[in-house]
Amino acid sequence: MQTDSGKSLSARDKEVIWHPLTQHQTAGPALAIVRAEKEFIYDEAGNRYIDGIASWYTAVYGHSHPYIIDAVKRQMDHMDHVVFTGFTHPPAIQLAERLLQLLPQNQAKVFFNDNGSTAIEAAIKMAIQFFYNRAEKRQTLIAFEEGFHGDTFGAMSASGLSVYNGPFEDYFIKVERIPVPNQENFAQVKAQLLDVLKKGESFAFLFEPLVQGAAGMKMHWAEHLDALIQICKKHKVLTIADEVMTGLGKTETLFASEQLDHYPDMICLSKALTAGTMPMSVTTCSQEIFDAFLSKENAKGFFHAHTYSATPWACAAALAGLDLLTSPEMEANRKRINTQHLAFIEKMKNHPALINLRCNGVILAMELNVPMERYGELRDKLFAHFMQQGVCLRPLGNTIYVLPPYVTSDASLAKIYAAIESSLLLFGRG
Ligand SMILES: *Cc1c(COP(=O)(O)O)cnc(C)c1O
């Protein structure tokens, strides 16, 4: 095995690695990152970038936070893996207790998985079996258009962003899609949902509450979503909030679901849960759902597991993350970033090159006022421009969004905003 050939890391990568979401015939070399600290990442040439997307919404307390790293190291010193069927361990118990204290009060049990997609898979399977256990067969999942829920089969079926799902569509589970509500279409969306519910075939409504991440940080009103959830509850259809992106302080509340009057029956969390350190996720549910699996019959239980369920090191990272999340310092940081985002919106709202400026908590998004070329040349040019400015942002089509680590300094925020402004001179119309 060749180990150190004098080639760059990017060159060695190209020889051996197949990257996710990548067309390798046309993609340029992958940039090798060798260090990450606070809101900064450093490449192999020593260039520093501000991580304006908190590493896919994970490293929200800043990269390599010493408090998180210490907690993981301490756990590493005395226990690695525990089989999670028939056995349990302190970090998992503590984490479940802490999460249930913070989540909407109807959440009663925590089921552990190992990534965002598998949290969704578990939720979908729980919802199907909830009805199966009552001898009801329900085969339809309701989901929003343009939702994104992951890349495993159930989660992929539920995702409305189907540009890349062509080869798999014939194998999907059955999904009825409704538009995301806004002021204009609200009555029509409600009517459409009712039409679907009347068929009596739906087991659950799955949604990203308030902000649809992969759709380009599209935002909708809590009031509208709440009405849809209320309708589902009336028709005894389960509701599943995919908070894999929104959870843990991204929006104005710790969980987007808190902004609703009617709480979802299940909530999925991942990404920021372990603060950018280790893969883990949870699917939480109400007591009613848990109780539907209790029986003298073994097979009515939920027979679903991942080998690395509730792995202790990840639980330790998550527990330390919750300490930080609920600290006054981090709360002040989230408010500070929200205030700065709103000031940027105020400053730019009449700029002819920008439309649809929006913000919820630490999430800021806007569209460049140019014809849509999703993932096309514009996106790549914008990305390159931001990186040249020392700012890592990953535009989606003509959508520019910022979701910085909560510890991002005012100076770094100013650099992010300046990079966006300078991009308008290059690419904006007008
Ligand atoms: C990222 C994401 C997922 C999938 O999580 P993975 O860990 O990438 O499988 C699911 N739902 C939402 C809303 C996400 O942002």
Side-chain angles (χ1 to χ4, degrees):
M1 193 175 77
Q2 214 174 9
T3 48
D4 200 349
S5 53
K7 289 179 188 159
S8 71
L9 291 170
S10 287
R12 283 162 60 193
D13 169 283
K14 201 171 157 60
E15 284 169 18
V16 290
I17 294 180
W18 186 343
H19 283 270
L21 307 176
T22 301
Q23 172 46 266
H24 277 288
Q25 184 164 316
T26 49
L31 184 66
I33 301 299
V34 295
R35 191 158 78 84
E37 192 184 13
K38 295 185 180 149
E39 72 266 41
F40 304 110
I41 54 176
Y42 299 82
D43 70 17
E44 68 176 310
N47 299 309
R48 185 177 89 165
Y49 308 90
I50 299 164
D51 182 357
I53 58 161
S55 225
W56 264 346
Y57 335 136
T58 61
V60 291
Y61 315 112
H63 284 279
S64 314
H65 195 296
Y67 185 76
I68 308 265
I69 304 298
D70 279 352
V72 176
K73 276 185 189 160
R74 264 183 282 124
Q75 184 58 46
M76 281 177 166
D77 278 340
H78 71 272
M79 189 170 70
D80 51 3
H81 184 272
V82 175
V83 170
F84 211 56
T85 299
F87 299 91
T88 191
H89 57 80
I93 297 165
Q94 286 162 25
L95 177 57
E97 288 171 350
R98 289 282 300 280
L99 279 173
L100 292 176
Q101 279 165 11
L102 296 172
L103 283 163
Q105 343 144 350
N106 71 329
Q107 298 302 296
K109 289 284 190 282
V110 177
F111 189 91
F112 286 92
N113 313 284
D114 52 13
N115 64 63
S117 303
T118 55
I120 300 295
E121 277 326 301
I124 291 174
K125 285 176 69 176
M126 278 178 191
I128 292 173
Q129 194 179 341
F130 175 87
F131 290 103
Y132 179 90
N133 281 358
R134 305 170 162 200
E136 273 188 67
K137 190 169 181 186
R138 300 214 187 173
Q139 286 183 297
T140 307
L141 177 68
I142 305 168
F144 277 143
E145 285 168 4
E146 297 198 282
F148 176 74
H149 301 287
D151 282 337
T152 51
F153 259 89
M156 178 173 57
S157 309
S159 300
L161 292 166
S162 57
V163 245
Y164 302 114
N165 289 341
F168 316 111
E169 270 166 13
D170 289 348
Y171 308 91
F172 280 3
I173 61 168
K174 203 174 154 199
V175 178
E176 293 263 16
R177 239 168 262 296
I178 58 171
V180 178
N182 56 46
Q183 271 168 291
E184 286 80 53
N185 70 3
F186 184 45
Q188 182 226 319
V189 174
K190 274 197 292 188
Q192 213 170 314
L193 175 62
L194 276 168
D195 282 345
V196 175
L197 292 171
K198 272 183 200 142
K199 295 182 197 161
E201 292 166 359
S202 311
F203 57 86
F205 170 36
L206 168 66
F207 50 84
E208 292 166 87
L210 308 192
V211 188
Q212 293 182 295
M217 300 295 162
K218 290 208 170 147
M219 299 184 188
H220 55 268
W221 291 6
E223 191 187 319
H224 289 158
L225 177 61
D226 192 61
L228 301 181
I229 293 174
Q230 197 181 358
I231 294 171
C232 287
K233 286 189 186 274
K234 264 194 199 138
H235 286 77
K236 306 263 180 272
V237 164
L238 299 177
T239 49
I240 307 168
D242 176 353
E243 294 229 28
V244 170
M245 189 283 286
T246 53
L248 303 149
K250 272 45 164 288
T251 69
E252 268 139 42
T253 41
L254 288 188
F255 303 97
S257 300
E258 283 175 65
Q259 295 174 47
L260 304 165
D261 290 330
H262 298 82
Y263 293 143
D265 300 294
M266 290 187 237
I267 297 177
C268 301
L269 302 174
S270 187
K271 292 208 162 113
L273 183 60
T274 50
T277 57
M278 269 170 291
M280 188 171 70
S281 64
V282 295
T283 305
T284 67
C285 71
S286 65
Q287 191 66 42
E288 187 196 1
I289 294 183
F290 181 77
D291 288 347
F293 290 73
L294 300 177
S295 166
K296 284 185 189 127
E297 283 171 59
N298 226 357
K300 287 208 167 165
F302 189 52
F303 280 77
H304 175 109
H306 298 289
T307 309
Y308 281 83
S309 291
T311 185
W313 301 354
C315 290
L319 272 166
L322 292 183
D323 286 345
L324 293 178
L325 177 69
T326 53
S327 70
E329 184 202 342
M330 220 48 88
E331 229 158 90
N333 274 329
R334 287 168 49 222
K335 280 217 186 83
R336 176 178 58 82
I337 292 174
N338 178 255
T339 306
Q340 303 263 6
H341 281 352
L342 292 172
F344 181 71
I345 290 180
E346 193 54 34
K347 178 179 173 198
M348 303 304 286
K349 69 181 180 197
N350 294 321
H351 197 292
L354 286 177
I355 46 176
N356 209 5
L357 287 103
R358 56 199 181 273
C359 174
N360 192 338
V362 303
I363 307 170
L364 168 73
M366 66 211 77
E367 268 81 49
L368 262 189
N369 191 12
V370 291
M372 182 67 168
E373 308 166 61
R374 204 180 174 83
Y375 300 106
E377 251 192 17
L378 171 71
R379 184 257 166 228
D380 293 344
K381 284 184 186 159
L382 273 173
F383 173 74
H385 171 76
F386 292 141
M387 291 297 277
Q388 266 163 21
Q389 306 292 308
V391 174
C392 177
L393 295 177
R394 298 182 82 252
L396 293 158
N398 65 335
T399 302
I400 300 170
Y401 73 89
V402 184
L403 197 169
Y406 308 155
V407 295
T408 305
S409 70
D410 284 348
S412 292
L413 285 174
K415 256 189 107 173
I416 294 172
Y417 302 138
I420 295 174
E421 275 191 67
S422 62
S423 78
L424 304 180
L425 298 172
L426 296 172
F427 306 109
R429 179 192 276 167

